Amino acid sequence: MDIKLITPPSPLRQVMISLIIIPTLLLVGCGSSSSDDADDTEDTSDSDPGPIEGLVAPTVSVDYDNWQLRFTWRDMTGADFYRIHEDPDSMSGYSQLGPDLTSNEYVYNINLSEITNARFIVEACDAEQCIDSDIVTLDTVSPGITPIVVSGDSAPDMGSAVFSSNIGTAFDFDVNGPGTIAIHGVTDQTDSSGSARDGIFKYESGTGLTLVQPDDDNLPASDASYNGFYDVWIADNGHILFGGLLNLDNTLTDDVDGFNNEVLLRNTFGTTALMAREGEPGRGGTAFPTLDAGASVYFSENITANRVFTNLSIDASGGITFQLGSNTDAFRTDDDSDFYDSTIWTIKGDGTKLQSLSTSQTELPGNLDIGVFSAFKQYSQNASGQLAYGLAINGVPTDNNSGVYVRDTDGSHTEVAREAGGSVSDYIDRLQTATLQITDNGEVFYFTQRDVAGVGNRGLYTNATGTSNTRIARIGLPFLLEDGTTQEITGFIGGGSSFSAADNTAAFLVNAGSVDTEDALIVWQDGTAKRRFQEGDAVRGLLDSSTVDLDLVSVPGTGPRIELNNNGWIGFQGLTAFGTEALFVSSPNGYTRLMVREGQSFSVGDIDYGTVMEVLDFQIDQAANMIVGLRFVDGTNGIFSVTLCGSDEPC
């Protein structure tokens, strides 16, 4: 990235660390503000007293990295102190940053997504006067932000279609570990049915945005046209999965009606295939085998436009696991009778369909039977396809009738933890409602309640150290950090959404309930813990860091509250001094920067996207790129990629 020092033409041109430097002198008084216009940098009148003997204008070098500007200059003969001035938008005039300086260095935190037109000068001063450096501008500084797609952009390979900016048409996206982005976008162009055309798109660095599948061309199950897509996921191997809706006329005589209009699709390197379709097999629906080796079953919604395939997750090979929607019925294929078994279903990467879990057929270790599992997603899938569940158990005493189990890829089950009286301690209670995450190395982290009243009734646990149950932290218990200090925990910010896990590591947000301690972001790794960020810590890109508030009441959109990648980068949300919600990122080396905040003016290069209305979603790939979905005040939506790493933070 280039940072330029710009003044009127001069025969001398020096190049320093990608800086173009053209020296010229500007005299101002020490007691005055450097508010002269940038174009008025030389005074050739007879009244110009010239430079003070022995006092020379500083030649400034500027390094930019990780959203910090570092100004340095040599000690100037005759200078008693230095001042640095900023004109934030090239219009407001200069004002001094910080106090007078006796050192020849100044570090400035800057959010380059909202400050791109700033100008700076450094003054060398003695008791009589000050003399200015050349002007430093940021016009060509790249903030490391890449626009991926914005409403109003042309949709590639879809004729005259452009992406819609209508309310409710935010881009859905998913990012895999290697950094490829899958996007579901709605356009302003209509298909033959008069509905807006949908498309599934892919973004790769170096290739850009490409069309994967439009909703009205070359799709399987072609006995009916498509009426759009919903949701999108991308596996680490590049397979893109998405849901689709067929056009329907709500009659039982048509091949597509209110009872078989939903499909699951997967695009494998340019070819889209049908994974599953709602409805009886005789009318195009998909049959799924059951664990009891009896008749297969098919699914049908009993409310039009209900989602059949819900609570989805994928593995690295493009396998998908799902539950049925609350208004979905299941029927046996042999006699069309109702099928009542509560279950979780899987379609493996090779297309094999199976019943992952059955309340009537799955036998857990110790010959235990499943009583019930949550109707909402209380399971987690890792890259290899292992599934971790929270379950209630039949036939055991009430003080240990729930547990956390892992189903391996060969179909076997392992008990991770069971309620007090079973395999765990700490009086853990109701593990069927625990929030779970299984990491790629098979460790399970779970947030759950304890069988106690009042304080201390929530905790975060893991089996990552090789034991069946290790307490990481719980409410009301002093939490020891690796530096020997303790962190008071009076609550987990966001409850079950307060944590994110990676191999051997968990990151979580906690309330301190104490002004002396403040709320904090904690990282636990292999049995030790440290504060990664605490309210009041410095934040790059945020001038007033003392008023960051981590305890959000609500977060808009569907994005995660906190996200940890395998390299230790953590994205999280909080409130700024302006009372606006903001997105932050914490680096593995422990510094925190502001990514974007509501109410800010957001620009990249010469393009001004307007004022940010809300952060819709965010994810971090393994190469430390944060993908952010934003909505702007005028209704425009966009997806942007922000490079997190730099010279002092290797990717």
Side-chain angles (χ1 to χ4, degrees):
M1 58 187 67
D2 292 332
I3 299 176
K4 296 199 296 185
L5 304 181
I6 300 177
T7 57
S10 167
L12 178 62
R13 185 176 296 265
Q14 298 177 345
V15 178
M16 301 178 61
I17 56 168
S18 298
L19 306 178
I20 303 172
I21 302 175
I22 308 174
T24 188
L25 302 181
L26 174 64
L27 293 178
V28 298
C30 279
S32 65
S33 171
S34 299
S35 57
D36 301 77
D37 186 83
D39 295 328
D40 188 17
T41 55
E42 287 187 318
D43 187 353
T44 58
S45 67
D46 294 337
S47 60
D48 184 358
I52 304 170
E53 184 178 354
L55 188 61
V56 181
T59 299
V60 182
S61 298
V62 186
D63 284 321
Y64 169 76
D65 192 41
N66 289 322
W67 292 12
Q68 282 191 323
L69 294 174
R70 184 180 299 273
F71 299 86
T72 58
W73 55 91
R74 295 179 60 186
D75 285 330
M76 298 291 103
T77 301
D80 297 322
F81 59 92
Y82 306 93
R83 289 172 174 163
I84 185 165
H85 296 262
E86 178 195 27
D87 179 359
D89 53 12
S90 296
M91 295 185 296
S92 301
Y94 288 99
S95 59
Q96 184 171 341
L97 295 175
D100 293 347
L101 306 170
T102 56
S103 67
N104 57 344
E105 178 183 78
Y106 184 80
V107 176
Y108 184 54
N109 296 323
I110 187 168
N111 184 347
L112 286 177
S113 66
E114 56 183 326
I115 304 177
T116 56
N117 297 315
R119 302 183 301 175
F120 302 87
I121 55 175
V122 175
E123 294 179 331
C125 304
D126 64 10
E128 299 293 331
Q129 298 186 58
C130 297
I131 188 168
D132 286 7
S133 71
D134 296 305
I135 298 171
V136 181
T137 69
L138 306 182
D139 295 336
T140 60
V141 171
S142 169
I145 302 175
T146 301
I148 304 301
V149 59
V150 179
S151 53
D153 290 352
S154 296
D157 297 320
M158 290 185 69
S160 61
V162 298
F163 292 107
S164 174
S165 60
N166 292 335
I167 297 298
T169 57
F171 295 103
D172 295 324
F173 71 90
D174 190 40
V175 184
N176 65 8
T180 303
I181 307 170
I183 300 166
H184 166 221
V186 180
T187 75
D188 65 354
Q189 194 178 66
T190 58
D191 59 22
S192 57
S193 71
S195 300
R197 291 184 70 191
D198 284 15
I200 301 297
F201 302 85
K202 178 175 66 174
Y203 178 89
E204 294 179 287
S205 178
T207 304
L209 189 70
T210 57
L211 177 66
V212 172
Q213 183 66 64
D215 69 356
D216 56 357
D217 181 43
N218 298 326
L219 277 163
S222 58
D223 60 321
S225 61
Y226 278 72
N227 190 34
F229 299 133
Y230 68 92
D231 295 333
V232 66
W233 308 267
I234 183 166
D236 283 350
N237 67 354
H239 295 183
I240 297 175
L241 300 95
F242 49 103
L245 295 173
L246 299 170
N247 283 317
L248 56 94
D249 63 9
N250 289 313
T251 68
L252 295 177
T253 58
D254 191 14
D255 282 342
V256 178
D257 51 45
F259 299 98
N260 63 341
N261 70 317
E262 186 175 341
V263 295
L264 282 179
L265 301 158
R266 178 170 59 200
N267 184 277
T268 305
F269 308 123
T271 301
T272 298
L274 181 74
M275 298 182 72
R277 177 174 168 181
E278 173 191 0
E280 59 185 288
R283 298 168 64 201
T286 303
F288 279 77
T290 59
L291 284 175
D292 63 1
S296 57
V297 299
Y298 66 90
F299 316 127
S300 184
E301 62 191 352
N302 56 48
I303 295 179
T304 300
N306 174 65
R307 289 289 182 265
V308 173
F309 310 108
T310 63
N311 295 337
L312 296 101
S313 63
I314 65 171
D315 63 26
S317 65
I320 190 165
T321 294
F322 62 90
Q323 290 177 285
L324 298 180
S326 59
N327 292 304
T328 300
D329 296 322
F331 303 94
R332 293 169 58 96
T333 58
D334 56 348
D335 59 9
D336 218 33
S337 61
D338 292 338
F339 180 80
Y340 293 110
D341 188 10
S342 296
T343 191
I344 294 175
W345 305 89
T346 292
I347 306 173
K348 299 173 69 173
D350 62 6
T352 301
K353 298 173 178 60
L354 55 94
Q355 188 179 11
S356 297
L357 188 75
S358 165
T359 54
S360 64
Q361 296 295 326
T362 301
E363 188 173 272
L364 302 173
N367 299 319
L368 298 175
D369 294 327
I370 299 173
V372 68
F373 53 89
S374 175
F376 302 99
K377 184 178 179 180
Q378 300 298 344
Y379 67 90
S380 174
Q381 185 172 16
N382 66 8
S384 67
Q386 290 178 300
L387 291 167
Y389 316 94
L391 308 169
I393 304 168
N394 282 333
V396 294
T398 56
D399 62 351
N400 62 357
N401 66 351
S402 67
V404 172
Y405 293 84
V406 171
R407 193 217 68 177
D408 211 335
T409 53
D410 63 1
S412 62
H413 284 77
T414 301
E415 184 176 273
V416 173
R418 191 142 49 90
E419 237 181 283
S423 61
V424 303
S425 57
D426 208 36
Y427 299 99
I428 292 177
D429 188 31
R430 298 186 186 180
L431 285 168
Q432 75 269 27
T433 60
T435 305
L436 310 171
Q437 289 191 33
I438 183 169
T439 62
D440 288 345
N441 64 353
E443 301 163 350
V444 179
F445 293 81
Y446 51 102
F447 177 86
T448 190
Q449 71 181 61
R450 301 174 64 244
D451 192 17
V452 295
V455 298
N457 64 345
R458 293 291 188 275
L460 180 62
Y461 302 84
T462 183
N463 70 338
T465 60
T467 62
S468 60
N469 173 59
T470 297
R471 180 181 64 223
I472 295 176
R474 69 172 173 83
I475 297 172
L477 189 70
F479 185 66
L480 182 64
L481 303 171
E482 67 175 3
D483 62 2
T485 62
T486 58
Q487 173 77 42
E488 181 185 7
I489 298 178
T490 59
F492 290 86
I493 300 173
S497 62
S498 67
F499 82 99
S500 181
D503 291 351
N504 308 308
T505 308
F508 52 101
L509 296 165
V510 296
N511 291 124
S514 167
V515 175
D516 295 334
T517 308
E518 302 294 349
D519 300 340
L521 167 66
I522 306 293
V523 175
W524 180 96
Q525 186 172 32
D526 289 329
T528 61
K530 65 174 66 176
R531 290 189 195 98
R532 180 67 77 81
F533 176 76
Q534 180 175 303
E535 292 175 352
D537 288 351
V539 177
R540 296 187 183 184
L542 184 65
L543 298 181
D544 186 358
S545 62
S546 62
T547 55
V548 171
D549 184 359
L550 295 180
D551 196 359
L552 283 173
V553 176
S554 63
V555 178
T558 59
R561 191 56 191 280
I562 178 173
E563 176 159 321
L564 166 70
N565 82 346
N566 283 337
N567 296 323
W569 290 89
I570 307 169
F572 61 99
Q573 291 174 291
L575 294 174
T576 70
F578 305 100
T580 56
E581 293 181 2
L583 175 62
F584 302 91
V585 69
S586 171
S587 80
N589 283 342
Y591 72 77
T592 298
R593 71 171 74 163
L594 172 69
M595 301 299 295
V596 64
R597 64 174 178 84
E598 294 178 4
Q600 79 167 68
S601 176
F602 188 90
S603 60
V604 180
D606 296 331
I607 302 176
D608 183 2
Y609 293 98
T611 301
V612 176
M613 181 176 180
E614 61 179 316
V615 177
L616 297 170
D617 197 1
F618 63 95
Q619 299 180 41
I620 306 175
D621 66 23
Q622 299 312 319
N625 296 291
M626 176 175 273
I627 315 303
V628 184
L630 299 176
R631 175 176 286 128
F632 300 96
V633 169
D634 66 354
T636 301
N637 299 298
I639 301 174
F640 301 84
S641 175
V642 185
T643 300
L644 300 179
C645 51
S647 62
D648 62 347
E649 284 289 1
C651 290

